[in-house]
Amino acid sequence: MKNAVKQLAIGVSALALCFISVAEEAPKVEPQELTIDRIYSSPSLNGATPKSLRFSPDGKRVTYLQGKQEDLYRYDLWEYHIDSDENRLLVDSKDIFDGIENLSDEEKARRERQRIYGSGIMEYKFSNDGKALLFPLNGDLYYYNLAEKKAKRLTNTPAFETDAKFSPKANFVSFIRNQNIFVIDIDSGEETKLTKSGGGTIKNGMSEFVAQEEMGRMTGYWWSPDEKYIAFLNVDESPVDIAVRNEIYAEEIKLVEQRYPYTGTPNVKIKLATVNVKSQRIRTIDIGEETDIYIPRVNWLPKGDALTYQWQSRDQKTLKLNLYSVKNRRQSTLLTETSSHWLNLHDDLTFLSDNKRFIWASERDGFKHLYLYNTDGEQLAQLTKGQWVVDSLHAVDEQAGWIYFTGRADTPLERHLYKAPLDGKSPEHVVRVTKRNGFHDIVFSSDLNTYINKFSNIQTPSQVSLHKINGEHITWLEENKVDNNHPIAPYYDQLVMPEFGTLKSDDETTTLYYKIYKPKQLVPGKKYPVIVNVYGGPYAQRVTNRWQGADFTQFMVSQGYIVFQLDNRGSNYRGTAFEFPIYENLGDIEVTDQVTGVKFLRTLNYVDEQRIGIYGHSYGGYMALMSMFKAGEYFKAGVSGAPVTDWRLYDTHYTERYLNHPKANEKGYESSSVFPYAKDLNGPLFIYHGMADDNVLFTNTTKLIKTLQDENKLFELMTYPGAKHSMRGKKVKVHLNNSIIDFFDRHFKAQP
């Protein structure tokens, strides 16, 4: 074939070495058959997987959430005590609240936006002095004194308190109740209502739907460092269309009226203001005459005398960083970013201690890199540079003159911690700090002497360790070693490590990364069915050197399937030239790239080209439909989960970012919909959707059902009462995955 196929070093030599070391240390226990039920049962096959890792402000402990041994989804707060070198339970969630949580609709939606699922301690916050913790549980707030090891209930109301925070000096706890901002004086217990206009369509201090779902902003208020002010957003949802939908549960059907901003329709009206905590005086900040805009980020300067807010145009091609002085109420624009396509948001804005300089991230040269500015808006230096992307800025060591960040300077398949000089004298020469090949999630201590590293690679489950700032290993916080006692031990020998490789796109201009899982023992002369497991949408990446574990992919491989994954153009961490080709025309070049993957598969003598299927969820569900409809000669069967079928049914911020406004790109919306191509469906198709999905509304699937019926196209359908977009819960996941494997077995394994 025309495509040049190249096996990556990570896919051949490096992984071969890993196989040798793993084989020498593989656990020796009686093997068991991997089942779908076991994949979603407790204890987790991934072993100890701590969540929400952070240092206490005093640096004495590392804290994290961990599921109970007997209940994977009931979380407690644990600590690694640095002085005693001991992991121990810090707060048992049942000691605070031992009942069944009854979440408000607002909190359910908020957790769905956060992609968190479970019970017990789901969130926690330290006071800045490190003496106390704050827990929201079952709608109320609990203050936990670490010295006394005792929890004090701060609220006890029928209303749900959300988005709770300590004030910077730990004198107050703030929260949202009934769409207003409240504070409690911790010493006196006195409660003060800082805003009073909240109610109905007005929300104070709360993030609107698209901010939560598409901007990664889960809050709508911010304390000033001096504890004098709270900046907050006032959101008026009245312009937003009401989507009347059914949430269908097993026992009932709820008629839900949701303010859902369909693409091309009005967004919320938004105001930015500050409130004086002592006097309760509110001052509105002038954000300009144009009201059809977004405020994706708000940040205070270190001294608390000024704040910045990011102003984003409706078309997301302009982003301004504006500086506002609390004292004299004057404003200035520090910088303006523009794009002919769209601008990706980030959380890397960091002000230095002198209150005069800040670090900013930009993709202006085609790759996300870091820049140093002063508060006059003058660029002082470019701090990183090269044909690779920065993931996130993690720390600034002003005294030593270094910045620390994660990025892809070595390979887009791995995330490492790097450092670069703060003076910007050598932005092309960054220094890698992390040692092992794979994926690293980093959390720095406040004194910058140490960092937490949550690491995994394709053959190593997540391990958490403590390191000096130079990368030197201090100790394990959770080694999670695969030994005879590890939950995965009975299944470990069955795991198949994928091979990594690259292909050239059909036009020979772009390198595409893939990974392929093959049954452990390929029978010579036998041809195997292949499942292309796809997501394919923006902000995603599937082909990485990180732990995937004993998951549904491994189960499918154990059942005789090959599983193939390819990151098409439009996905993340490759720079804007790789992302932008999807602009104003979704489901086109992504399918072309997936077909390139199938053409490669057809060259393999162990692949049956008549038994190549595709499976995906969300954008992956959309991709499965577009691939089946537009490239049915390559994809012989498909599973589509919770798909967007008509982008006019999706929200403003996401859809207009990639497709522009419907009035400006009517043709693109039509060609990006699945419906013009549904008539060309020829192979078996299985569709599933949660019947309480408030993200990709169930209307997407009902509209598809009607179209396929009108075209006299046969298909299979499975709906899940009460399930949201993420399809949470063991029973749902077990049934869903059994349904998927049953579908492919009937259509692929029944063939000779």
Side-chain angles (χ1 to χ4, degrees):
M1 73 186 277
K2 209 171 179 183
N3 284 310
V5 180
K6 182 177 82 174
Q7 292 294 331
L8 301 175
I10 189 176
V12 181
S13 60
L15 280 187
L17 292 173
C18 291
F19 294 155
I20 293 170
S21 63
V22 168
E24 291 172 350
E25 300 178 8
K28 305 298 181 184
V29 296
E30 187 69 27
Q32 297 179 23
E33 181 182 358
L34 181 65
T35 65
I36 292 175
D37 186 82
R38 180 62 191 91
I39 290 170
Y40 297 107
S41 296
S42 300
S44 169
L45 292 177
N46 294 317
T49 52
K51 299 171 55 176
S52 300
L53 286 152
R54 63 193 64 163
F55 282 95
S56 61
D58 59 12
K60 293 181 179 179
R61 51 172 62 91
V62 174
T63 54
Y64 54 92
L65 298 178
Q66 188 161 288
K68 290 183 178 294
Q69 187 75 8
E70 69 277 8
D71 185 354
L72 182 63
Y73 299 113
R74 173 89 190 199
Y75 291 94
D76 300 318
L77 182 64
W78 285 69
E79 69 167 340
Y80 167 76
H81 196 263
I82 294 174
D83 289 343
S84 64
D85 189 27
E86 181 186 3
N87 280 292
R88 59 197 184 198
L89 180 65
L90 183 60
V91 183
D92 188 324
S93 60
K94 290 188 175 181
D95 290 343
I96 300 176
F97 180 78
D98 195 20
I100 298 175
E101 284 189 294
N102 295 307
L103 302 180
S104 67
D105 290 341
E106 183 73 36
E107 181 62 12
K108 288 178 183 177
R110 187 169 178 267
R111 291 192 182 186
E112 180 70 13
R113 303 285 86 76
Q114 292 175 293
R115 305 297 190 263
I116 61 174
Y117 173 80
S119 62
I121 299 173
M122 301 303 299
E123 299 178 66
Y124 70 98
K125 291 183 172 67
F126 271 105
S127 60
N128 281 347
D129 59 11
K131 295 179 179 179
L133 290 160
L134 181 64
F135 303 114
L137 269 171
N138 198 41
D140 285 311
L141 306 179
Y142 295 83
Y143 175 91
Y144 188 90
N145 187 299
L146 285 164
E148 298 175 359
K149 296 184 178 180
K150 186 178 179 181
K152 178 174 71 172
R153 189 170 185 167
L154 294 179
T155 62
N156 188 2
T157 67
F160 224 84
E161 285 83 31
T162 61
D163 198 12
K165 304 175 186 180
F166 277 110
S167 63
K169 297 181 180 179
N171 292 311
F172 301 94
V173 165
S174 56
F175 57 89
I176 303 297
R177 179 196 293 151
N178 294 331
Q179 301 176 199
N180 281 301
I181 304 171
F182 289 74
V183 294
I184 293 177
D185 185 297
I186 294 173
D187 288 339
S188 69
E190 181 182 355
E191 185 178 285
T192 304
K193 186 177 182 180
L194 294 181
T195 64
K196 299 177 175 62
S197 62
T201 61
I202 304 298
K203 296 181 176 181
N204 288 308
M206 299 176 67
S207 51
E208 66 273 30
F209 174 86
V210 293
Q212 293 183 18
E213 182 63 36
E214 312 299 357
M215 302 180 208
R217 175 169 61 75
M218 298 304 301
T219 189
Y221 76 95
W222 302 266
W223 280 95
S224 64
D226 58 12
E227 211 176 65
K228 293 180 180 179
Y229 300 96
I230 292 177
F232 70 97
L233 293 172
N234 171 278
V235 173
D236 180 1
E237 292 187 318
S238 62
V240 180
D241 288 347
I242 297 175
V244 180
R245 58 184 177 83
N246 291 318
E247 286 196 356
I248 303 175
Y249 295 83
E251 304 85 5
E252 61 178 336
I253 298 177
K254 292 182 179 179
L255 189 66
V256 177
E257 293 187 351
Q258 178 185 354
R259 297 277 178 177
Y260 190 93
Y262 294 105
T263 183
T265 67
N267 277 312
V268 300
K269 292 179 181 177
I270 197 164
K271 297 177 183 177
L272 179 62
T274 60
V275 57
N276 185 302
V277 176
K278 186 176 181 179
S279 69
Q280 301 173 44
R281 181 180 182 182
I282 294 174
R283 282 186 159 177
T284 301
I285 298 171
D286 183 4
I287 57 175
E289 294 182 2
E290 178 60 63
T291 59
D292 195 9
I293 54 97
Y294 302 105
I295 305 292
R297 303 286 185 267
V298 176
N299 299 85
W300 285 92
L301 274 66
K303 291 184 180 178
D305 58 342
L307 61 81
T308 61
Y309 65 93
Q310 295 180 34
W311 182 102
Q312 186 181 46
S313 60
R314 171 76 182 246
D315 64 9
Q316 299 176 63
K317 296 179 181 181
T318 302
L319 183 70
K320 297 179 181 179
L321 180 64
N322 292 332
L323 178 70
Y324 171 80
S325 170
V326 177
K327 185 176 181 180
N328 59 32
R329 306 184 70 186
R330 292 177 183 171
Q331 291 195 56
S332 61
T333 298
L334 299 182
L335 59 87
T336 302
E337 297 277 358
T338 60
S339 172
S340 58
H341 294 76
W342 72 81
L343 291 161
N344 291 311
L345 298 173
H346 61 81
D347 293 297
D348 300 301
L349 174 61
T350 302
F351 287 92
L352 304 191
S353 59
D354 61 12
N355 219 51
K356 297 178 180 178
R357 294 175 297 161
F358 63 92
I359 295 172
W360 176 257
S362 172
E363 293 178 307
R364 65 189 60 159
D365 68 358
F367 297 90
K368 181 184 175 184
H369 283 296
L370 301 173
Y371 298 80
L372 181 65
Y373 278 82
N374 63 26
T375 49
D376 291 327
E378 177 187 3
Q379 181 182 315
L380 303 177
Q382 182 171 355
L383 303 181
T384 62
K385 189 176 183 180
Q387 294 189 1
W388 50 272
V389 300
V390 168
D391 277 43
S392 300
L393 177 65
H394 288 275
V396 182
D397 188 342
E398 296 184 49
Q399 186 173 355
W402 293 98
I403 61 169
Y404 291 83
F405 60 93
T406 47
R408 312 299 176 100
D410 287 70
T411 167
L413 276 65
E414 297 182 351
R415 179 165 64 208
H416 287 281
L417 177 66
Y418 301 90
K419 67 177 184 177
L422 183 56
D423 60 18
K425 290 183 178 179
S426 55
E428 300 95 342
H429 300 99
V430 300
V431 179
R432 178 168 150 182
V433 179
T434 44
K435 312 296 185 187
R436 296 190 289 173
N437 291 337
F439 248 71
H440 301 263
D441 293 316
I442 304 296
V443 179
F444 271 87
S445 62
S446 58
D447 60 12
L448 301 184
N449 288 328
T450 53
Y451 67 85
I452 304 164
N453 184 3
K454 186 175 183 181
F455 163 83
S456 78
N457 61 28
I458 203 68
Q459 79 284 340
T460 308
S462 291
Q463 298 178 312
V464 183
S465 49
L466 191 65
H467 296 257
K468 293 181 180 178
I469 197 168
N470 64 2
E472 180 183 338
H473 183 276
I474 299 173
T475 187
W476 291 110
L477 304 181
E478 179 53 72
E479 187 176 6
N480 198 22
K481 185 177 180 179
V482 179
D483 55 21
N484 290 347
N485 297 316
H486 196 284
I488 206 171
Y491 313 97
Y492 194 81
D493 284 341
Q494 304 169 42
L495 296 185
V496 172
M497 300 301 153
E499 296 175 6
F500 291 75
T502 61
L503 304 171
K504 280 293 184 183
S505 59
D506 66 324
D507 57 8
E508 298 285 336
T509 63
T510 306
T511 298
L512 306 172
Y513 289 92
Y514 73 83
K515 62 181 176 182
I516 184 170
Y517 293 82
K518 298 181 291 188
K520 212 161 184 85
Q521 300 294 333
L522 290 177
V523 177
K526 181 178 179 180
K527 291 187 178 292
Y528 292 82
V530 181
I531 306 302
V532 177
N533 183 207
V534 66
Y535 182 78
Y539 267 106
Q541 185 186 30
R542 303 297 295 274
V543 183
T544 58
N545 183 21
R546 72 192 308 174
W547 177 250
Q548 208 166 323
D551 61 358
F552 186 53
T553 292
Q554 292 287 344
F555 177 78
M556 295 187 79
V557 174
S558 74
Q559 300 301 301
Y561 290 92
I562 293 169
V563 177
F564 182 81
Q565 294 179 333
L566 178 143
D567 284 333
N568 52 253
R569 279 171 284 184
S571 54
N572 208 359
Y573 304 109
R574 297 286 304 279
T576 57
F578 193 81
E579 291 183 61
F580 285 168
I582 65 172
Y583 187 60
E584 292 192 333
N585 191 23
L586 300 179
D588 183 24
I589 203 163
E590 306 100 296
V591 173
T592 297
D593 287 350
Q594 294 297 330
V595 167
T596 295
V598 174
K599 288 178 179 178
F600 159 66
L601 290 169
R602 286 179 165 187
T603 68
L604 304 177
N605 60 11
Y606 49 83
V607 166
D608 184 346
E609 66 178 56
Q610 295 304 315
R611 292 188 292 164
I612 297 177
I614 188 167
Y615 155 54
H617 181 88
S618 194
Y619 200 102
Y622 166 71
M623 283 288 293
L625 292 175
M626 292 296 264
S627 298
M628 289 291 293
F629 294 170
K630 297 175 73 173
E633 66 271 33
Y634 296 99
F635 300 96
K636 302 301 182 179
V639 174
S640 172
V644 175
T645 58
D646 182 348
W647 288 103
R648 295 179 183 87
L649 297 175
Y650 206 56
D651 70 57
T652 50
H653 197 269
Y654 183 97
T655 312
E656 292 171 19
R657 185 188 315 152
Y658 306 118
L659 275 179
N660 208 335
H661 194 283
K663 291 181 179 178
N665 185 29
E666 185 176 347
K667 183 179 179 181
Y669 273 80
E670 182 64 20
S671 64
S672 299
S673 162
V674 306
F675 298 110
Y677 319 104
K679 65 183 184 304
D680 297 318
L681 173 66
N682 290 314
L685 175 63
F686 172 56
I687 305 162
Y688 69 85
H689 210 132
M691 301 182 80
D693 194 332
D694 62 350
N695 179 6
V696 179
L697 303 183
F698 191 58
T699 311
N700 283 273
T701 287
T702 57
K703 189 173 179 180
L704 175 62
I705 291 169
K706 182 64 167 68
T707 298
L708 291 173
Q709 290 170 344
D710 288 349
E711 294 289 345
N712 195 29
K713 298 293 182 180
L714 301 182
F715 61 95
E716 299 179 34
L717 175 69
M718 182 64 66
T719 58
Y720 287 88
K724 298 286 188 179
H725 189 62
S726 300
M727 307 297 291
R728 302 287 189 178
K730 176 184 173 180
K731 292 182 179 180
V732 168
K733 288 186 176 297
V734 168
H735 186 273
L736 171 60
N737 286 313
N738 274 313
S739 298
I740 292 169
I741 195 71
D742 172 73
F743 171 81
F744 283 122
D745 282 351
R746 283 187 284 109
H747 294 289
F748 282 172
K749 286 198 171 181
Q751 298 182 21

